[in-house]
Amino acid sequence: MPARRRADGVLELGGVALVVLARDPRIGTPAYVYDLDAVAAEARELDASFEGAPHLVAYAVKANSAGPIVKTLVERGCGIDVVSGAELRLALRCGVAPSKILYSGVAKTDDELDLAITLGAEGIGAIQVESVEEAARVAARASTHGRVARVSVRINPGVEAEAIDTHSYISTGHDEAKFGVPLASVGEALEQLSRTSSAKIVGLSSHVGSQFTSTDAYLAAARSLFSVAKQVRARTALAFVDTGGGFGIDYGEGCPVRPADFIRATRRLQKESGLDDLALYCEPGRALVAAHAVLLARVIQRKIAPPTAASPERRWTMIDAGMNDLMRPALYQARHRVVPLEATSDAKTRPYRVVGPVCESSDDFGVHDLTDDAREVAILDAGGYGYSMASRYNGRPLPAEVFLKGGKVDGFSARAPLDAWVEDRLRAGGS
Ligand SMILES: Cc1ncc(COP(=O)(O)O)c(C=O)c1O
């Protein structure tokens, strides 16, 4: 369950009062706090929507790669979608079977391909080939190792960018995107793969974007994918179709569809397309994790600028979390709700622009109603593309992370010490 306000005004997540964590000197702020039980429940609900049909929920680990999160999802039966050799190694260390790993990404290096091809007896579940050129490289690497690589062709269904109701930076299924094999080249990619004995086509996939708050674009892409799959399977036995991730969450502006709604609608389409005997794969990232975490920050100070002839009074609340900790607002104008950790219902609030300490104008979390004396805040729904995108820009240590389970803290890692960055930079160039 996402963070909620108790009757006494205290914000809690997973049954834990967040103010207690924010004031715990062993942890420090900024700190991500995750509710592992809620993440597990999210995976359970999605799993149930397949109603026993063959499927794989391959969690897109790029959304949140914290060990406890990944292990929780693997224990719930999820596979993993990776986009780098490091993510692949992480997935293995978290206990996922190689056969449940999908490897997406437009420019995998030879070393990364080699790892995916040579794992276990048969390599990973599928290398998702994203271009004709990559198809040839995968076959060549597999041949070098005397292996047969399991491959799925990720098609770019060419869904019009305007039809994809999401920010252009997280829209991947249109003609100009670097992702996936364009429809016009799918035949060539398949041809290439079927000519070699070093690759076996096991599936077809697509992923057209992220944070969809309606099923329209997802289903448009699935329709296109299924129509290709129908033609392909006449010549090549397929094991699965993979309709990707992208299920949206409610960041405060509403999201009337649940991940299960995407799956139920996709399965209907799959049946109509006569592909019901194939396993249905999906690759959700955000939807499994985002709503079940917050980023805690302390208020450092407020700043008030008196009105001018051109503008009314301006008010800023400056917090100790910045764009380096949560990049989504700066990267693609994402909006997260920012709320106090303690709030009485009669407290007088005013609109404040909430900003971080980083020396960039884009270090800005937007305008939020806060009291004049708020001490700590939570940035809500921060579990997806939060820590995994964090950097140490401006010499800022990576944030702390706290994992909740069974209504209490199950583990935490404190914020890195300030000196770690200094030492690291001094070591640059071997000095
Ligand atoms: C290939 C692929 N699959 C899955 C995902 C996960 O998307 P989301 O977090 O929106 O579910 C992404 C995200 O960019 C992706 O690139």
Side-chain angles (χ1 to χ4, degrees):
M1 197 196 286
R4 66 174 201 104
R5 180 107 24 223
R6 287 189 335 210
D8 62 359
V10 168
L11 193 72
E12 69 169 24
L13 182 75
V16 176
L18 291 168
V19 69
V20 175
L21 302 180
R23 293 180 188 167
D24 186 333
R26 295 169 307 156
I27 299 170
T29 55
Y32 279 96
V33 186
Y34 311 104
D35 178 357
L36 295 177
D37 294 327
V39 169
E42 198 71 71
R44 257 195 312 273
E45 183 183 328
L46 183 56
D47 204 50
S49 69
F50 289 88
E51 296 170 328
H55 69 279
L56 181 71
V57 174
Y59 167 59
V61 73
K62 64 160 78 79
N64 188 321
S65 43
I69 297 267
V70 184
K71 285 179 189 160
T72 296
L73 290 169
V74 169
E75 278 159 20
R76 291 253 51 82
C78 289
I80 301 287
D81 175 61
V82 303
V83 291
S84 70
E87 284 191 357
L88 177 45
R89 286 194 171 85
L90 175 82
L92 293 169
R93 296 276 299 274
C94 290
V96 74
S99 61
K100 288 171 115 179
I101 299 179
L102 307 178
Y103 192 164
S104 308
V106 295
K108 307 167 192 84
T109 65
D110 284 354
D111 285 349
E112 290 173 323
L113 289 176
D114 290 353
L115 175 64
I117 289 166
T118 57
L119 264 178
E122 293 187 287
I124 62 166
I127 297 173
Q128 313 241 52
V129 159
E130 302 225 13
S131 60
V132 174
E133 293 80 356
E134 192 183 37
R137 284 185 53 232
V138 171
R141 295 312 305 168
S143 163
T144 306
H145 294 287
R147 291 289 195 119
V148 180
R150 289 188 286 200
V151 167
S152 98
V153 175
R154 177 174 172 187
I155 70 161
N156 181 331
V159 180
E160 286 298 314
E162 301 74 49
I164 301 181
D165 58 342
T166 196
H167 193 279
S168 62
Y169 285 10
I170 48 175
S171 157
T172 55
H174 54 88
D175 273 342
E176 297 303 319
K178 66 178 177 178
F179 301 97
V181 179
L183 278 179
S185 306
V186 171
E188 193 184 343
L190 292 166
E191 192 53 46
Q192 173 108 246
L193 291 165
S194 39
R195 271 203 308 266
T196 166
S197 54
S198 305
K200 179 174 175 357
I201 302 165
V202 289
L204 290 179
S205 60
S206 73
H207 169 79
V208 289
S210 201
Q211 184 51 19
F212 293 134
T213 52
S214 95
T215 56
D216 297 351
Y218 193 83
L219 292 180
R223 201 168 282 114
S224 179
L225 176 74
F226 293 165
S227 128
V228 176
K230 260 162 71 176
Q231 296 164 36
V232 171
R233 71 180 313 193
R235 287 176 282 133
T236 311
L238 294 174
F240 67 84
V241 277
D242 171 359
T243 43
F247 314 146
I249 67 137
D250 182 3
Y251 281 106
E253 276 136 30
C255 178
V257 278
R258 297 280 302 147
D261 297 321
F262 285 85
I263 293 306
R264 279 192 283 265
T266 307
R267 286 200 61 233
R268 274 197 296 276
L269 201 59
Q270 186 188 358
K271 276 187 204 151
E272 283 161 29
S273 308
L275 299 171
D276 205 24
D277 55 314
L278 300 185
L280 177 61
Y281 285 16
C282 64
E283 303 166 8
R286 179 195 317 277
L288 294 179
V289 291
H292 308 300
V294 298
L295 175 58
L296 301 182
R298 266 183 316 114
V299 174
I300 296 175
Q301 64 177 49
R302 270 159 281 270
K303 173 175 169 178
I304 312 285
T308 64
S311 53
E313 178 180 87
R314 280 134 302 134
R315 287 181 292 275
W316 293 270
T317 291
M318 296 170 167
I319 60 174
D320 68 352
M323 63 184 279
N324 69 297
D325 303 300
L326 178 63
M327 201 180 177
R328 296 186 66 256
L331 189 62
Y332 25 67
Q333 292 125 29
R335 185 172 163 85
H336 286 257
R337 287 166 288 185
V338 180
V339 299
L341 295 194
E342 296 177 299
T344 50
S345 53
D346 56 351
K348 190 174 163 328
T349 61
R350 298 196 287 167
Y352 277 92
R353 183 166 286 283
V354 178
V355 295
V358 175
C359 285
E360 296 286 344
S361 300
S362 52
D363 187 26
D364 184 333
F365 296 103
V367 175
H368 303 271
D369 287 334
L370 292 172
T371 56
D372 291 344
D373 60 355
R375 284 175 61 187
E376 300 97 356
V377 295
I379 303 180
L380 302 185
D381 310 308
Y385 305 100
Y387 190 99
S388 62
M389 282 188 173
S391 78
R392 299 185 301 167
Y393 184 43
N394 276 200
R396 294 171 46 74
L398 291 172
E401 292 188 289
V402 185
F403 301 90
L404 309 177
K405 198 172 178 177
K408 54 185 179 36
V409 173
D410 192 52
F412 69 90
S413 36
R415 198 180 185 209
L418 288 174
D419 265 0
W421 178 84
V422 177
E423 293 303 327
D424 177 72
R425 294 295 70 212
L426 287 172
R427 273 197 305 273
S431 52

